[in-house]
């Protein structure tokens, strides 16, 4: 008998130890035991979960109370999960929202197995967990990912993530539009050569090799894409590393500057044509900023005034020691053009090579894209012959009247 009593005591202690270890494990994992007596229609849930969710244990024991507390949007899904568990033999595994006593909505996860026992009847045995925080974190993550995706698809800069195997892991809308001349087709998991073509891949491959060696690469080049045609792009390629500092791929960001390059090319052509025209003009053509410093002057000044054109850049007429009459007349007219926004005339006389020369000038205000005057264009032309001709005509008319 003592031996049997000892064995019973040892068995009780062993059972208590197992229960204590189980409770400790459940507590550490934030899981709570629950059971559903299908014969008596009674639910038993751990008191700790009721306390955590501010629920009344007596109310929680009634299935009808749960049906009312489960959010309407989740009721059919929960009912279907219970039906499949009870009739199909599948384990119960369902997550749903419940209306808490404080008016807030919480998330619960139920897992259970159906166990049939002729003595006590069928029961569902399982664990329940409050997953409200996890679900809130997942929702915040989804919102963050959605915002990031929205930003990526809104910005006009192409962004792509590529693997070492030369396949796309991600590409935003601008990238797809630039390389494919279309915006609806996804390039994820497609090979780079399939998307941009063999010619473009060959141009980029030397830079890909460098970035896969761990180097950051930046370049500006012209690339012939198989679908969208020739494009001029500014490209930045940054390697991606795993925790072992191995390069797993790269992120590339590029800006399509084709239109800007075309505009710059046209502007360069026009500027070259303008300079060719101006440099061969017989008149002095100059540009002055708002401080009356010379921004540009053509080489006609060397022929007409005998002054070096290169000496004018960034200097005022006073600093250049221009003839007093020219400095006074041109400065006054330039200031008037800046203040009124209208073209102003000027006239002056200058001794050149021992000869008195007469000049007329037009000072024209120039406006920037904001309609603000930022410079004055000055055109100076020699009217000496015209003045002399006018004087000779006047002399002849006077002589004729006197006769």
């Amino acid at each position: 008998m003592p031996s049997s009593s000892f064995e019973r005591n040892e068995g009780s202690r062993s059972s208590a130890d197992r229960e204590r270890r189980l409770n400790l494990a459940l507590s550490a994992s934030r899981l709570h035991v629950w059971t559903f007596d299908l014969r008596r229609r009674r639910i038993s849930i751990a008191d700790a979960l009721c306390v955590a969710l501010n629920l009344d244990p007596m109310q929680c024991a009634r299935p009808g109370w749960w049906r009312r507390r489960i959010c309407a949007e989740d009721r059919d899904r929960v009912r279907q999960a219970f039906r499949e568990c009870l009739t199909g033999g599948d384990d119960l595994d369902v997550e749903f929202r419940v209306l808490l006593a404080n008016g807030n909505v919480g998330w619960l996860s139920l897992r259970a197995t159906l166990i049939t026992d002729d003595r006590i009847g069928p029961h569902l045995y399982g664990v329940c967990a409050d997953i409200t925080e996890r679900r809130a974190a997942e929702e915040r993550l989804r919102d963050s990912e959605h915002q990031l995706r929205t930003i990526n698809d809104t910005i006009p800069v192409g962004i792509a993530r590529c693997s070492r195997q030369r396949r796309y892991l991600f590409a935003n809308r601008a990238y797809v539009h630039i390389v494919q001349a279309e915006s609806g087709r996804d390039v994820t998991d497609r090979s780079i050569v399939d998307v941009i073509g063999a010619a473009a891949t060959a141009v980029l491959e030397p830079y890909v090799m460098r970035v896969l060696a761990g180097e950051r690469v930046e370049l500006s080049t012209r690339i012939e894409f198989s679908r969208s045609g020739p494009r001029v792009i500014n490209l930045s390629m940054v390697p991606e590393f795993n925790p072992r500092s191995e390069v797993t791929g790269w992120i590339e960001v590029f800006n399509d500057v084709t239109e800007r390059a075309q505009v710059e090319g046209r502007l360069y052509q026009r500027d070259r044509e303008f300079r060719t025209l101006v440099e061969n003009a017989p008149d002095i053509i100059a540009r002055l900023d708002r401080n009356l410093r010379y921004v540009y002057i053509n080489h006609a000044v060397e022929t007409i005034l005998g002054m070096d054109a290169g000496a004018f850049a960034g200097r005022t007429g006073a600093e250049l020691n221009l003839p007093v009459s020219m400095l006074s007349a041109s400065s006054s007219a330039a200031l008037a053009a800046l203040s009124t926004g209208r073209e102003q005339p000027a006239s002056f006389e200058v001794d050149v090579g021992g000869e008195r020369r007469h000049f007329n000038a037009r000072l024209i205000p120039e406006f920037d894209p904001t309609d603000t005057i930022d410079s004055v264009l000055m055109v100076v032309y020699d009217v000496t012959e015209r003045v002399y001709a006018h004087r000779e005509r006047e002399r002849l008319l006077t002589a004729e009247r006197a006769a």
Side-chain angles (χ1 to χ4, degrees):
M1 290 297 291
S3 176
S4 298
S5 176
F6 175 78
E7 290 175 354
R8 284 196 299 272
N9 290 338
E10 284 297 313
S12 297
R13 281 196 294 271
S14 177
S15 177
D17 287 343
R18 286 196 299 271
E19 183 174 353
R20 181 173 58 82
R21 287 194 294 269
L22 175 61
N23 289 333
L24 181 61
L26 291 173
S27 176
S29 60
R30 297 187 178 182
L31 296 175
H32 307 277
V33 175
W34 73 284
T35 61
F36 184 8
D37 185 341
L38 298 173
R39 178 183 294 174
R40 299 173 57 200
R41 307 294 295 173
R42 301 289 293 177
I43 297 174
S44 175
I45 296 180
D47 291 341
L49 179 63
C50 294
V51 172
L53 297 178
N54 194 23
L55 301 176
D56 184 347
M58 297 298 294
Q59 292 179 327
C60 292
R62 299 193 297 271
W65 182 87
W66 281 102
R67 284 194 293 270
R68 293 189 298 273
R69 284 288 174 173
I70 295 175
C71 291
E73 298 89 340
D74 297 341
R75 288 173 189 168
D76 289 342
R77 185 163 49 80
V78 173
R79 188 180 295 112
Q80 180 65 23
F82 270 87
R83 185 180 297 115
E84 291 175 356
C85 177
L86 297 177
T87 61
D90 295 333
D91 286 345
L92 178 68
D93 187 354
V94 64
E95 296 179 354
F96 55 91
R97 289 162 291 182
V98 294
L99 182 64
L100 305 179
N102 59 8
N104 294 332
V105 174
W107 276 91
L108 290 181
S109 171
L110 285 186
R111 295 183 180 182
T113 298
L114 176 63
I115 297 178
T116 57
D117 189 312
D118 293 338
R119 183 175 57 84
I120 62 175
H123 278 65
L124 283 174
Y125 290 93
V127 292
C128 178
D130 177 9
I131 59 171
T132 304
E133 292 184 3
R134 192 201 80 194
R135 279 286 190 163
E138 291 174 351
E139 184 66 25
R140 289 193 298 270
L141 179 60
R142 282 193 296 270
D143 288 343
S144 177
E145 290 176 344
H146 175 71
Q147 292 173 6
L148 179 60
R149 183 77 195 197
T150 301
I151 293 173
N152 282 335
D153 284 340
T154 302
I155 59 177
V157 177
I159 301 174
R161 186 164 170 252
C162 308
S163 69
R164 289 190 69 96
Q165 291 72 36
R166 278 68 164 178
R167 304 189 76 84
Y168 288 105
L169 303 176
F170 164 81
N172 72 341
R173 187 175 300 168
Y175 187 98
V176 174
H177 176 73
I178 293 169
V179 302
Q180 291 193 329
E182 57 185 82
S183 57
R185 189 178 181 188
D186 190 13
V187 301
T188 302
D189 203 37
R190 294 174 60 191
S191 68
I192 293 176
V193 67
D194 176 52
V195 173
I196 68 175
T201 302
V203 172
L204 293 177
E205 183 59 22
Y207 304 104
V208 171
M209 295 296 293
R210 287 168 56 186
V211 79
L212 290 179
E215 178 184 351
R216 180 189 179 112
V217 177
E218 294 185 359
L219 67 144
S220 179
T221 187
R222 181 183 182 276
I223 296 181
E224 181 87 24
F225 294 109
S226 59
R227 292 179 176 86
S228 58
R231 314 298 296 176
V232 180
I233 63 170
N234 292 336
L235 176 62
S236 177
M237 306 171 75
V238 182
E240 274 197 302
F241 298 89
N242 63 16
R244 297 186 298 276
S245 298
E246 299 168 340
V247 179
T248 58
W250 73 92
I251 295 175
E252 61 183 48
V253 179
F254 70 71
N255 189 18
D256 184 358
V257 295
T258 305
E259 293 183 2
R260 188 179 76 188
Q262 292 171 346
V263 171
E264 290 175 349
R266 289 193 294 268
L267 288 176
Y268 174 77
Q269 179 66 24
R270 290 178 183 176
D271 182 67
R272 188 172 64 178
E273 293 172 352
F274 169 78
R275 287 185 176 274
T276 300
L277 180 64
V278 168
E279 289 300 333
N280 289 279
D283 303 323
I284 297 174
I285 301 177
R287 176 173 285 123
L288 294 82
D289 64 16
R290 294 187 61 86
N291 297 315
L292 303 189
R293 295 185 178 277
Y294 283 86
V295 178
Y296 167 81
I297 192 167
N298 67 347
H299 285 82
V301 71
E302 299 177 353
T303 304
I304 296 174
L305 297 180
M307 300 183 68
D308 180 15
F312 278 74
R315 302 171 71 183
T316 65
E319 293 170 343
L320 290 164
N321 294 318
L322 292 179
V324 175
S325 59
M326 178 181 178
L327 176 61
S328 176
S330 62
S331 297
S332 299
L335 291 173
L338 288 170
S339 62
T340 64
R342 293 192 297 271
E343 179 180 330
Q344 300 294 323
S347 299
F348 53 88
E349 299 176 11
V350 176
D351 289 328
V352 179
E355 180 185 0
R356 194 71 172 173
R357 307 295 294 180
H358 299 263
F359 297 93
N360 285 347
R362 297 169 54 206
L363 290 100
I364 307 164
E366 295 183 307
F367 297 83
D368 65 13
T370 64
D371 208 29
T372 300
I373 301 174
D374 64 351
S375 61
V376 174
L377 182 68
M378 182 172 67
V379 181
V380 179
Y381 42 97
D382 189 342
V383 294
T384 304
E385 301 302 329
R386 189 190 310 169
V387 169
Y388 287 165
H390 177 72
R391 288 178 180 178
E392 181 63 18
R393 187 168 58 252
E394 289 293 323
R395 187 188 66 79
L396 293 173
L397 287 173
T398 303
E400 183 180 346
R401 285 194 295 268

